[in-house]
Amino acid sequence: MDSIILQILNGLDKGSAYALIALGLTLIFGTLGVVNFAHGALFMIGAFCSVTLQRILNLSYETIDATQTDFLGNPLKVKTPYLESWFGPEMGSSIIEWSVPLAILFAIPVMIGIGFIMERGLIKHFYKRPHADQILVTFGLAIVLQEIVKYYFGANPIQTPAPEALSGIAQLTSTIVYPVWRIVYFCFSLLIIGAVFAFLQFTTFGMVVRAGMADRETVGLLGIDIDRKFTIMFGIAAAVAGLAGVMYGPINAPNYHMGMDFLVLSFVVVVVGGMGSLPGAVLAGFLLGILESFASMEQVITLIPGINQIIIYLVAIVILLTRPRGLMGRKGVME
Amino acid sequence: MSIKNVTRRGVIKTGAAAGAGLALPTYLSAASHTGFTNAPGNDKVTLGFNVPQTGAYADEGADELRAYELAVEHLNGGGDGGMLSTFSSQVLDGTGILGRKVEYVTGDTQTKSDAARASAKSMIEKDGAIMITGGSSSGVAVAVQGLCQEAGVIFMAGLTHSNDTTGKDKKANGFRHFFNGYMSAAALAPVLAKNYGNDRKAYHLTADYTWGWTQQESIAAATEALGWQTVNNVLTPLAATDFSSYIAPVLNSGADVLVLNHYGGNMVNSLTNAVQFGLREKMVDNKQFEIVVPLYSRLMAKGAGANVKGIFGSTNWHWSLQDEGSKAFVKSFGTKYGFPPSQAAHTCYVQTLLYADAVQRGGSFNPCSVGEALEGFEFDGLGNGPTLYRAEDHQCFKDVLVVKGKENPTSEFDLLEIVEITPRAQVEYAPDHPMFAGGQLGSCNPGA
């Protein structure tokens, strides 16, 4: 029983990341009609916002310690972060330790900016082109972005640990423990998903966007600049993916390829949830996360070898055969 | 100008002849008059460095390439000479190889077998590479070794740790300096037993490909021989990123040791996830839960950050070794690049010198002559103590390092501390050992 509960928790956790990325993908598809294969790269850039802030906070000056030597036998250069020098060792190291949560504030404007530039600079030129063209250009963009990140940060993963207070394990029952940061990640994703839905549901801006998603032309005829609003939505979708990446850093060390690892799965999530359906994307994200976790259980692998590698695609096939629009797909979208 | 001699039949004949000439692989045409593939001219010789320049192991590949460039520089008489002065064989004098200036071409393996074969093939056929070396994966090494055997060039393996490379997939044209899964296990198991006791229950997570299988088989056999039980072995997909689903069942499995038969990004992620789940603080039947990483790499340890502290593993070589060869290499590499070399860089540098030395001693670039010079070759001064290139399987036998993640590193390079230098005798095995059975070395192929 404990192992089943643990796998549900794992699934919810994985599903959080899938749901956040799929939510952004669906927002972009629902508003702009663009199949954005660069969305995984936005998740990766978000994680590297955290790496960048960590490096900024760790900017150091060097002093020579004559009592120690480096690998060449020269006196050792000891690095001391400026923050520790300015605020004292304790306060300085505390600020550095909280670099991941602080990176949320850093990532929001950066990701919205990147989203704006991507949409205005490249993607808007492909609105009227076939989906195949959109997929090719956004996939190419994803490769360019990941190569840029690799050039500056290298191919190896870079650790962005959680603050000490949010590390370690939580004792959920007498026999079940679970990492604190993963619980934080799950709660954070619920918060972001809730905020996006509330924004669309309870604000005038959101109302106009929803109306535009339903009937773009009519909203345009009413004199509303729907393109501008959709551009803003692209920025918001980029920020959602970026925040998912920032918070994912302590779970798995960021590397330049992490966006691609999530991209295909997230597209499956969107298709299973139903193209253009925001609740569908979230539901499918959590559902597939849980299924993937269960399929990784030893008992399941023993019964059906290799099921852990194909379960998501298998479910996608079954759902698309029985419900071609996906779980909560709208009529007329991608049909 | 008259064109009356141009006939339809003539054009077809000429075209067919030219087409056939172009279609003929370069190595076949060269071999036809020299007796072996890509025989060099009198002034230069080209080596092919096939390393991962893109993909997850690109950083390791970049370090391999740095080492190769350094080796070429030293062979051509540049720099401080590095290990040329400490190498027990003193036939290399900085005038290239057999008087020919050493040049090189590079290929990108992408850590994919098909891409690695394609890049090696291109270097052999288009660039005239006489020897192929490099790589950071056993799957790639086995694939490229097979290609080199067919093409008739020598393959000096880079970082490849699967038993199969010099076991069931061994080839007469292939040579490995790097150690293997069996050696890691033979060195590591006694240290584990000494530190954690003989009554332990191990749970294995294993990367689902040739290296993972042989590493797991080796470490399980070595620890079981010392009294440990193997509770479970779960194969994980190579593409896995989040290992939480595989780690969670460990918590209530009754195991008190987790063995991560993972390398590269897999190792970084599985170790990070294991630490997240509190395994390092866990107690099982009054025993402290322990994690073991059989194959360590400093570059990967850097990726895993503080999670490696106190965790045992093994490595082929480490920059902190104090023998004359290692010191010369670290000085040379560190002065040129500003940081110490990795174990991948070390093995690649050494393989280049060993190839050059074998050519020089044999007096020929012919792969069969090179193979003969390497087989049974005993040498020293290249960083691992007295070493033997065994004739039966083309595997180097030398001391192995058991290391541990350092508790208080003094720099970003100071991540591993050497716990023990396991003597060569302890990691040796018979050529017909069951873990290496199933393949034939065959005979050398000069490509003629």
Side-chain angles (χ1 to χ4, degrees):
Chain A
M1 189 60 196
D2 287 353
S3 57
I4 290 174
I5 293 171
L6 272 170
Q7 293 301 0
I8 290 174
L9 289 171
N10 274 333
L12 289 173
D13 209 41
K14 280 183 187 178
S16 304
Y18 296 159
L20 281 176
I21 300 174
L23 182 67
L25 271 171
T26 306
L27 271 177
I28 292 171
F29 181 76
T31 51
L32 301 167
V34 171
V35 182
N36 181 24
F37 263 66
H39 207 68
L42 293 172
F43 174 74
M44 176 268 295
I45 291 173
F48 275 89
C49 281
S50 177
V51 174
T52 306
L53 184 69
Q54 183 179 267
R55 293 211 170 159
I56 292 170
L57 296 179
N58 269 302
L59 283 175
S60 306
Y61 62 91
E62 286 180 352
T63 48
I64 303 289
D65 181 355
T67 61
Q68 297 187 75
T69 55
D70 67 8
F71 70 98
L72 286 174
N74 302 319
L76 187 69
K77 288 176 185 164
V78 179
K79 289 181 176 176
T80 311
Y82 286 110
L83 282 176
E84 289 188 15
S85 160
W86 295 336
F87 301 108
E90 212 167 288
M91 184 65 181
S93 60
S94 294
I95 296 172
I96 293 168
E97 197 192 304
W98 281 80
S99 63
V100 172
L102 288 173
I104 293 173
L105 304 175
F106 177 66
I108 291 173
V110 170
M111 294 310 300
I112 290 177
I114 288 174
F116 273 26
I117 294 167
M118 262 173 75
E119 199 273 338
R120 289 289 92 187
L122 184 70
I123 293 175
K124 76 166 184 178
H125 302 294
F126 287 81
Y127 287 157
K128 290 177 183 164
R129 303 277 282 270
H131 284 308
D133 288 10
Q134 295 171 355
I135 289 170
L136 282 174
V137 76
T138 52
F139 192 70
L141 180 64
I143 292 170
V144 169
L145 289 173
Q146 76 173 30
E147 288 305 311
I148 291 171
V149 167
K150 193 175 85 174
Y151 178 79
Y152 284 104
F153 294 95
N156 268 356
I158 301 166
Q159 290 283 330
T160 51
E164 192 69 34
L166 299 175
S167 300
I169 48 170
Q171 192 80 40
L172 300 181
T173 69
S174 59
T175 51
I176 297 177
V177 295
Y178 204 69
V180 174
W181 186 261
R182 285 176 179 262
I183 297 170
V184 170
Y185 191 81
F186 175 63
C187 296
F188 178 79
S189 72
L190 290 185
L191 190 74
I192 296 289
I193 291 166
V196 170
F197 276 93
F199 179 71
L200 289 173
Q201 205 66 36
F202 303 122
T203 64
T204 312
F205 184 96
M207 189 182 69
V208 173
V209 168
R210 280 188 292 123
M213 285 169 81
D215 191 342
R216 185 186 183 130
E217 249 178 53
T218 309
V219 174
L221 287 171
L222 290 172
I224 295 169
D225 185 358
I226 193 71
D227 286 351
R228 187 176 162 75
K229 295 203 163 18
F230 282 175
T231 303
I232 294 170
M233 284 315 293
F234 194 102
I236 291 173
V240 169
L243 291 179
V246 168
M247 295 295 279
Y248 196 75
I251 292 177
N252 273 334
N255 69 80
Y256 79 101
H257 201 261
M258 66 192 293
M260 285 293 181
D261 297 336
F262 274 89
L263 181 71
V264 178
L265 286 174
S266 301
F267 263 98
V268 175
V269 168
V270 170
V271 171
V272 168
M275 292 295 287
S277 166
L278 296 176
V282 174
L283 176 71
F286 286 115
L287 191 70
L288 292 182
I290 291 171
L291 276 173
E292 196 186 15
S293 284
F294 274 106
S296 304
M297 286 177 78
E298 191 211 337
Q299 294 87 337
V300 181
I301 298 175
T302 313
L303 204 64
I304 317 169
I307 188 71
N308 51 338
Q309 301 193 46
I310 59 162
I311 181 71
I312 283 190
Y313 307 102
L314 205 63
V315 170
I317 291 168
V318 171
I319 287 187
L320 288 179
L321 281 175
T322 52
R323 291 180 66 90
R325 283 181 210 147
L327 291 175
M328 300 175 79
R330 287 185 291 135
K331 192 178 179 184
V333 179
M334 284 292 271
E335 285 188 310
Chain B
M1 185 180 161
S2 167
I3 54 167
K4 66 182 178 185
N5 290 335
V6 180
T7 63
R8 183 185 62 85
R9 188 174 296 245
V11 168
I12 291 171
K13 273 184 185 171
T14 313
L22 286 172
L24 187 71
T26 313
Y27 64 83
L28 289 183
S29 56
S32 62
H33 58 86
T34 57
F36 59 95
T37 299
N38 291 339
N42 291 327
D43 49 352
K44 63 172 187 177
V45 59
T46 305
L47 308 182
F49 301 146
N50 206 20
V51 304
Q53 296 181 47
T54 55
Y57 294 149
D59 284 1
E60 201 154 59
D63 220 37
E64 290 186 357
L65 210 48
R66 288 183 199 107
Y68 284 131
E69 285 167 358
L70 192 66
V72 168
E73 183 182 323
H74 292 166
L75 287 171
N76 287 331
D80 60 7
M83 282 180 171
L84 287 185
S85 57
T86 61
F87 190 10
S88 56
S89 172
Q90 284 292 313
V91 297
L92 296 168
D93 54 7
T95 57
I97 308 175
L98 284 183
R100 286 140 176 104
K101 186 183 178 203
V102 182
E103 296 188 348
Y104 66 89
V105 288
T106 68
D108 181 8
T109 67
Q110 301 173 36
T111 315
K112 293 175 185 163
S113 298
D114 50 352
R117 277 178 69 97
S119 57
K121 195 166 187 281
S122 170
M123 287 190 286
I124 296 166
E125 294 183 1
K126 302 277 189 307
D127 303 312
I130 183 90
M131 177 272 274
I132 299 294
T133 177
S136 198
S137 146
S138 291
V140 162
V142 168
V144 176
Q145 183 164 261
L147 175 95
C148 290
Q149 179 71 33
E150 291 160 20
V153 299
I154 289 287
F155 175 62
M156 302 295 281
L159 193 155
T160 162
H161 189 247
S162 169
N163 291 344
D164 291 347
T165 311
T166 46
K168 76 175 178 61
D169 296 311
K170 58 183 172 277
K171 295 279 182 280
N173 284 36
F175 292 84
R176 169 163 66 177
H177 169 263
F178 205 70
F179 69 156
N180 58 38
Y182 177 93
M183 293 173 172
S184 279
L188 190 55
V191 175
L192 294 178
K194 189 174 151 196
N195 283 275
Y196 302 149
N198 294 83
D199 181 22
R200 283 285 187 166
K201 292 175 185 154
Y203 192 109
H204 292 246
L205 291 183
T206 302
D208 195 5
Y209 75 112
T210 173
W211 172 74
W213 305 327
T214 64
Q215 176 58 72
Q216 194 278 331
E217 183 188 24
S218 302
I219 191 78
T223 50
E224 281 169 14
L226 294 170
W228 286 27
Q229 280 180 58
T230 301
V231 174
N232 205 350
N233 175 37
V234 176
L235 298 176
T236 58
L238 197 55
T241 51
D242 184 358
F243 287 85
S244 56
S245 316
Y246 301 100
I247 300 283
V250 180
L251 293 167
N252 300 316
S253 65
D256 49 29
V257 177
L258 173 64
V259 182
L260 296 173
N261 298 301
H262 287 150
Y263 187 69
N266 275 183
M267 186 280 270
V268 171
N269 288 335
S270 64
L271 179 57
T272 304
N273 291 170
V275 172
Q276 273 167 14
F277 272 79
L279 287 181
R280 301 210 63 189
E281 290 84 41
K282 190 175 167 62
M283 298 292 290
V284 179
D285 296 334
N286 293 322
K287 285 179 199 154
Q288 179 69 48
F289 195 99
E290 303 291 352
I291 301 173
V292 177
V293 176
L295 176 61
Y296 254 135
S297 140
R298 179 176 58 79
L299 293 175
M300 303 308 166
K302 189 178 170 190
N307 297 319
V308 299
K309 287 183 179 181
I311 291 178
F312 282 105
S314 69
T315 187
N316 189 59
W317 178 84
H318 193 255
W319 61 265
S320 63
L321 283 169
Q322 288 303 306
D323 61 280
E324 291 308 312
S326 296
K327 282 199 291 188
F329 180 52
V330 171
K331 179 168 175 277
S332 206
F333 189 100
T335 307
K336 188 173 171 80
Y337 301 114
F339 44 85
S342 62
Q343 62 171 348
H346 170 257
T347 201
C348 290
Y349 178 91
V350 169
Q351 283 282 70
T352 313
L353 294 199
L354 284 169
Y355 171 80
D357 176 78
V359 172
Q360 198 84 16
R361 283 187 292 112
S364 167
F365 288 95
N366 187 321
C368 294
S369 162
V370 175
E372 208 173 299
L374 283 172
E375 284 178 349
F377 180 47
E378 290 260 14
F379 60 91
D380 199 354
L382 294 183
N384 295 100
T387 305
L388 165 71
Y389 237 130
R390 189 160 71 178
E392 288 86 348
D393 53 7
H394 295 183
Q395 170 69 55
C396 265
F397 286 84
K398 54 196 179 340
D399 298 347
V400 169
L401 306 183
V402 175
V403 292
K404 190 167 79 165
K406 204 163 186 177
E407 294 289 351
N408 295 305
T410 55
S411 72
E412 58 181 311
F413 317 116
D414 186 28
L415 301 172
L416 302 173
E417 62 178 304
I418 298 171
V419 176
E420 179 190 281
I421 299 176
T422 307
R424 172 173 135 188
Q426 192 178 314
V427 300
E428 282 176 336
Y429 53 88
D432 59 351
H433 189 284
M435 284 187 200
F436 296 82
Q440 290 294 325
L441 203 57
S443 53
C444 85
N445 177 18

